[in-house]
Amino acid sequence: ATILEASLGISGMLASIIGGRWLKAQGYIIPYWFILALHLTSILYVYLFICESVVPRSSAKLFNINNYRACWQLLSTGGTRSGQRGRFHRSKLWLYMLSEILITITYSGVSSLFVLYELSSPLCWGPDLVGYGSALQNMSYLVSLLALKVLQSWISEPWLIVIGLISSISGMVVFSVANTTALIFTGYVLSLLYIVPTPVLKSKMSKMVNPSEQGALFSVLGSFENLLVLASFSIFNNLYPATLHFMKGFSFLFGAVILLFPLGIIG
């Protein structure tokens, strides 16, 4: 998983830098044809060379009431590891899930605004600067993973989450008032640890349930996240134009306020 996350960071950085310069030199058409070719090549490679590592059971069914029952049981009991502290354990699991959902909603909603914010006045960035900014944002994958590797031996998991959230909040506050290129890049640097909370939260939740309940846990999380991410795009993309007349960066400030809730929960 660490190697995959690092690959995302490296490829994102390279694609952002190269893509920005390429768009500035030749426009959008040729780079998008190249992206399409890469996708088709990936599909062909997976189809021809990647073997299935899990043998499906003949008795397994996609739509099975037991799957939904397992998810409901996890939410209602907090998992079978609850023991004598069932109610406390359940509440703790719910709060961790709520924190993860709020973080995902905020990150997804805010991520859709960066390019709009950078292209508009007074910044008026071109494709090359947008590419550099996106590259610095993708560097967060590498920086966050390195920080986790170094800090997890000395700092407890809740403190790692708090550090990551403070990094995110400070970056968003700077973005909300940024009117120069230097401030935008300062915001990107401050938020380099924003990836940290998500893997740590998921790790803590996975330790709270039995191995047989891992599928139900991440199914519930994935369902909530995907549904609410769609809502977050709608909220932030409508909030941004509605608040331009009094504060251009209000949407980033709004995202920082939302992150105060998981920060308070974990703290």
Side-chain angles (χ1 to χ4, degrees), residues 1 20 66 86 95 106 121 133 171 173 197 207 211 215 218 229 246 251 260 266:
N66 291 329
L95 288 172
T106 305
S121 177
V173 170
K207 294 173 184 175
F218 290 108
V229 161
F246 68 90
S251 299
L260 291 175
I266 301 301

Side-chain angles (χ1 to χ4, degrees), residues 126-227:
D128 50 347
L129 276 176
V130 171
Y132 295 143
S134 181
L136 189 54
Q137 187 180 26
N138 279 290
M139 193 186 291
S140 301
Y141 285 95
L142 291 175
V143 174
S144 295
L145 289 169
L146 289 173
L148 277 175
K149 189 72 174 176
V150 173
L151 296 176
Q152 64 185 357
S153 301
W154 302 328
I155 301 176
S156 64
E157 288 181 331
W159 275 110
L160 287 172
I161 299 171
V162 168
I163 290 170
L165 287 171
I166 290 174
S167 172
S168 302
I169 292 170
S170 59
M172 289 185 190
V173 170
V174 172
F175 284 128
S176 70
V177 297
N179 55 6
T180 65
T181 296
L183 275 177
I184 288 288
F185 280 106
T186 300
Y188 279 128
V189 171
L190 287 174
S191 57
L192 279 175
L193 297 179
Y194 85 95
I195 299 292
V196 169
T198 297
V200 178
L201 270 171
K202 289 182 176 179
S203 172
K204 285 196 70 67
M205 285 186 283
S206 68
K207 294 173 184 175
M208 296 179 68
V209 300
N210 282 328
S212 60
E213 297 169 321
Q214 300 281 332
L217 171 65
F218 290 108
S219 294
V220 170
L221 265 180
S223 299
F224 280 135
E225 287 176 353
N226 285 313
L227 287 172

Side-chain angles (χ1 to χ4, degrees), residues 7-245:
S7 300
L8 283 174
I10 295 171
S11 59
M13 288 168 55
L14 293 175
S16 299
I17 295 171
I18 296 170
R21 304 296 298 181
W22 197 358
L23 288 175
K24 188 174 182 179
Q26 294 187 310
Y28 290 90
I29 301 301
I30 296 176
Y32 271 93
W33 277 112
F34 178 70
I35 293 169
L36 176 62
L38 286 180
H39 283 340
L40 293 176
T41 303
S42 299
I43 292 170
L44 190 63
Y45 176 78
V46 170
Y47 179 74
L48 293 176
F49 300 108
I50 304 298
C51 299
E52 178 59 69
S53 58
V54 178
V55 179
R57 293 179 299 171
S58 57
S59 59
K61 297 179 180 179
L62 178 62
F63 297 104
N64 190 328
I65 192 64
N66 291 329
N67 297 333
Y68 301 99
R69 187 179 293 119
C71 293
W72 172 252
Q73 183 178 6
L74 179 71
L75 289 174
S76 59
T77 64
T80 55
R81 281 190 179 178
S82 53
Q84 300 298 318
R85 299 181 298 163
R87 183 173 297 177
F88 172 77
H89 188 94
R90 180 182 61 191
S91 300
K92 193 174 180 181
L93 182 63
W94 284 2
L95 288 172
Y96 278 134
M97 292 179 72
L98 176 62
S99 299
E100 171 61 18
I101 289 168
L102 289 174
I103 291 169
T104 302
I105 290 173
T106 305
Y107 288 176
S108 300
V110 168
S111 67
S112 64
L113 303 179
F114 284 117
V115 175
L116 289 174
Y117 194 78
E118 292 161 356
L119 291 176
S120 60
S121 177
L123 296 169
C124 301
W125 280 13
D128 50 347
L129 276 176
V130 171
Y132 295 143
S134 181
L136 189 54
Q137 187 180 26
N138 279 290
M139 193 186 291
S140 301
Y141 285 95
L142 291 175
V143 174
S144 295
L145 289 169
L146 289 173
L148 277 175
K149 189 72 174 176
V150 173
L151 296 176
Q152 64 185 357
S153 301
W154 302 328
I155 301 176
S156 64
E157 288 181 331
W159 275 110
L160 287 172
I161 299 171
V162 168
I163 290 170
L165 287 171
I166 290 174
S167 172
S168 302
I169 292 170
S170 59
M172 289 185 190
V173 170
V174 172
F175 284 128
S176 70
V177 297
N179 55 6
T180 65
T181 296
L183 275 177
I184 288 288
F185 280 106
T186 300
Y188 279 128
V189 171
L190 287 174
S191 57
L192 279 175
L193 297 179
Y194 85 95
I195 299 292
V196 169
T198 297
V200 178
L201 270 171
K202 289 182 176 179
S203 172
K204 285 196 70 67
M205 285 186 283
S206 68
K207 294 173 184 175
M208 296 179 68
V209 300
N210 282 328
S212 60
E213 297 169 321
Q214 300 281 332
L217 171 65
F218 290 108
S219 294
V220 170
L221 265 180
S223 299
F224 280 135
E225 287 176 353
N226 285 313
L227 287 172
L228 294 173
V229 161
L230 292 175
S232 74
F233 286 136
S234 177
I235 293 169
F236 280 87
N237 286 334
N238 284 287
L239 182 66
Y240 179 70
T243 56
L244 285 175
H245 65 283

